[in-house]
Amino acid sequence: MNKTAPKREVYRMKVGFIGLGNVGGKLSGSLLRNGIELTVHDLNSDLVDGFVSQGAKAAESPAQLMRDCDAVITCLPSPAASDAVMQEMLPEVSPGKIWMEMSTTDEAEVKRLGAQVIERGGAAVDCPVSGGCHRAATGNISIFAGCDRATFERILPFLTTMGRRVLHTGDLGTASVLKVLTNYLATANLITCAEALVTAKAAGMDLNTTYEAIKISSGTSFVHETESQVILNGSRDISFTMDLVKKDIGLFQDVADRAGVPLEINPVMMRIFDDGIARYGDRELSPNIIKRLEEATGLDITAPGFPSEMEDYEPEASGYEVIPQGRRAE
């Protein structure tokens, strides 16, 4: 089921999208199938060709995208990649242009790049997503947006086309802080779910029953209800890898260090993923962090009846702005 059509004025705006990977390809797909005039760019020409076959245009460079489009979205794997793309786009930034950074990135870096865009008369937004690739595919993912209110209201139709729940987090950079914070929590959930499942199996528990017990109890979480299923299936496929986890919790550590917060759990998690990367490689699927415990115990943590990929059972529908609790009366 497709979403309600975005506001009419959105169709008059041309959108560029750079980065058609696991997340970016799904977010840009939501724009395309909902009638947004879309131009795309990626180093992988096969990904670009796939979008062109569905009605998108192809750009030869990030500079061309910024020159030809009203808003350009970047969804890239690292702050360094975003910086490289921005240096190509900057000469084409002019008043009225919008840069929307949907990558998971560093607060300080998005502020630095955003300041360069603003100096040239453009607007900058950090708007990372949260909720998993399966929800990005259906347009039901959550989106944080850090920018001034006027810019937020201008881009809200785009955001509600790509996502279901959209939260204006405050000024530029605030969304990136909240994104790495939520990824830190998701990583903690993943590690503890792995430990719980292995311990249950070692204690002689049935894993199907264990999954349901956790799901209906105070111990449940979004991660358990999604990632534990693909762990138990054995595929461990959430389209997310160990190097990306390490990057994200490293960015969270940077936020805490700048704020003078003496974290205790995150440094341990970083060591766990360092060990996982050393054992299995940086591109290993992140739920396979459980293999460390499977190998240590000689146990196989799989069970019948679970899907090989995370699925989104929520029907696609129009997105909306989330108003923080305590501010709804305002």
Side-chain angles (χ1 to χ4, degrees):
M1 179 175 67
N2 279 344
K3 295 183 175 185
T4 302
K7 295 179 181 178
R8 186 178 300 276
E9 61 265 30
V10 175
Y11 288 117
R12 295 199 298 265
M13 294 181 70
K14 299 177 181 179
V15 179
F17 206 108
I18 302 174
L20 304 175
N22 285 332
V23 176
K26 295 174 177 63
L27 294 172
S28 52
S30 290
L31 291 173
L32 187 60
R33 73 173 176 272
N34 282 282
I36 304 299
E37 186 175 349
L38 186 68
T39 306
V40 298
H41 180 71
D42 194 279
L43 296 178
N44 186 331
S45 60
D46 290 339
L47 295 177
V48 173
D49 291 344
F51 271 82
V52 170
S53 70
Q54 299 174 60
K57 298 177 182 178
E60 293 182 359
S61 67
Q64 182 192 344
L65 265 186
M66 183 59 76
R67 182 170 60 249
D68 294 347
C69 296
D70 301 296
V72 175
I73 299 168
T74 50
C75 191
L76 298 165
S78 69
S82 290
D83 177 59
V85 165
M86 178 54 69
Q87 298 318 308
E88 291 189 52
M89 294 193 298
L90 266 178
E92 303 297 337
V93 173
S94 58
K97 300 282 188 179
I98 305 173
W99 170 52
M100 299 167 60
E101 172 63 293
M102 300 197 81
S103 316
T104 299
T105 191
D106 177 60
E107 168 206 11
E109 180 66 359
V110 77
K111 286 181 176 179
R112 183 183 72 83
L113 295 179
Q116 296 176 20
V117 171
I118 293 168
E119 285 173 5
R120 301 182 71 91
V125 188
D126 60 324
C127 44
V129 300
S130 184
C133 287
H134 62 305
R135 285 191 169 176
T138 59
N140 287 327
I141 203 160
S142 296
I143 304 178
F144 304 149
C147 58
D148 62 86
R149 185 68 198 184
T151 300
F152 176 77
E153 291 180 356
R154 189 179 173 197
I155 65 170
L156 185 57
F158 292 134
L159 300 181
T160 55
T161 299
M162 290 184 284
R164 172 68 71 87
R165 300 162 188 87
V166 180
L167 178 65
H168 183 213
T169 58
D171 294 336
L172 181 67
T174 56
S176 292
V177 172
L178 290 172
K179 168 60 176 177
V180 297
L181 182 154
T182 59
N183 277 20
Y184 157 73
L185 291 171
T187 303
N189 286 175
L190 172 60
I191 291 172
T192 55
C193 282
E195 292 188 349
L197 291 173
V198 174
T199 300
K201 182 66 176 285
M205 301 302 300
D206 174 76
L207 289 178
N208 295 74
T209 303
T210 298
Y211 173 83
E212 296 299 337
I214 297 172
K215 182 178 178 181
I216 66 172
S217 74
S218 59
T220 196
S221 65
F222 176 83
V223 169
H224 172 65
E225 293 181 22
T226 55
E227 294 189 38
S228 288
Q229 294 201 61
V230 296
I231 286 175
L232 290 168
N233 170 273
S235 76
R236 282 77 195 272
D237 186 4
I238 65 165
S239 300
F240 205 72
T241 51
M242 290 189 182
D243 59 332
L244 295 178
V245 171
K246 179 63 189 302
K247 180 202 76 171
D248 290 352
I249 59 177
L251 290 171
F252 177 69
Q253 187 68 47
D254 292 341
V255 171
D257 290 344
R258 287 195 294 265
V261 180
L263 299 181
E264 297 177 289
I265 294 175
N266 196 56
V268 174
M269 298 199 312
M270 293 175 71
R271 290 196 292 273
I272 288 171
F273 269 88
D274 280 337
D275 182 62
I277 289 169
R279 292 175 185 231
Y280 313 120
D282 57 359
R283 301 302 294 168
E284 179 63 77
L285 293 165
S286 57
N288 265 328
I289 200 69
I290 197 173
K291 287 171 65 176
R292 297 169 66 253
L293 294 176
E294 286 181 309
E295 292 172 357
T297 60
L299 297 173
D300 173 38
I301 308 303
T302 57
F306 291 96
S308 61
E309 296 180 344
M310 296 190 299
E311 300 178 26
D312 183 15
Y313 297 105
E314 187 176 25
E316 186 176 10
S318 293
Y320 58 89
E321 180 182 358
V322 174
I323 308 298
Q325 185 169 326
R327 296 185 188 170
R328 295 186 181 118
E330 300 175 14

